[in-house]
Amino acid sequence: MRRSLSLGLVSGLAAAVIPLAAGPASAAEYSNSCNVIQMVHFVPTVTGMAHVEGNWENQTTMDPVVLLARDTQADGHHVGARLVTWQADGDVHYWPWHHYYGGEGGQDYWQSKATDSQGIKYAAVEGGVFEGDSLLSECFSSKMKNTAW
């Protein structure tokens, strides 16, 4: 089974929502996000955010995929985002985490292409707040169905 995800930093972007370039007529784009919530002084607080945008190229490929991780709390922790996909048989593929270490009010973007020979039927973004390598809290966006299925 072949899976590939190549990532490169996309810099100079200031907005959370990144418009995608027009793709082939059969491609459809989607956009989704989630907020990571933690208790801060006994109050549920959004401490991070993750966002994904992408184009469905076909049943096995998303191109491009743009991930965003934003830190919204000065708490000494860092944030991350990763793509989560569901194959045609229902198996879940958790792609690698991408981390932002710059602190409160900052964010980072990564542009990628995701290919899975077993198919990509649904996709979502997972956001997380980390202490070192330990995941403290996470969120998942809703699943978006691949329009090629």
Side-chain angles (χ1 to χ4, degrees), residues 52-71:
V52 64
E53 293 203 11
N55 270 352
W56 301 111
E57 189 171 290
N58 54 47
Q59 289 184 338
T60 61
T61 303
M62 298 167 59
D63 186 19
V65 176
V66 180
L67 296 171
L68 162 79
R70 177 181 294 149
D71 194 335

Side-chain angles (χ1 to χ4, degrees), residues 32-36 48-52 68-70 80-82 125-128 139 141:
N32 223 335
S33 60
C34 67
N35 292 321
V36 181
M49 186 269 248
H51 182 81
V52 64
L68 162 79
R70 177 181 294 149
R82 71 175 169 178
V125 67
E126 180 180 9
C139 66
S141 70

Side-chain angles (χ1 to χ4, degrees), residues 111-146:
Q111 184 171 343
S112 62
K113 174 181 179 177
T115 300
D116 189 331
S117 63
Q118 299 302 305
I120 299 174
K121 197 159 189 179
Y122 298 94
V125 67
E126 180 180 9
V129 173
F130 293 82
E131 174 67 38
D133 291 334
S134 298
L135 179 62
L136 300 177
S137 190
E138 64 189 327
C139 66
F140 287 89
S141 70
S142 58
K143 291 192 318 188
M144 299 298 292
K145 186 173 183 184
N146 183 338

Side-chain angles (χ1 to χ4, degrees), residues 63-125:
D63 186 19
V65 176
V66 180
L67 296 171
L68 162 79
R70 177 181 294 149
D71 194 335
T72 60
Q73 186 72 26
D75 55 10
H77 301 120
H78 73 276
V79 295
R82 71 175 169 178
L83 181 66
V84 180
T85 57
W86 285 259
Q87 297 173 331
D89 64 4
D91 284 350
V92 181
H93 183 190
Y94 295 91
W95 299 84
W97 282 103
H98 302 282
H99 299 269
Y100 172 69
Y101 298 96
E104 178 190 18
Q107 61 191 21
D108 239 339
Y109 296 87
W110 301 268
Q111 184 171 343
S112 62
K113 174 181 179 177
T115 300
D116 189 331
S117 63
Q118 299 302 305
I120 299 174
K121 197 159 189 179
Y122 298 94
V125 67

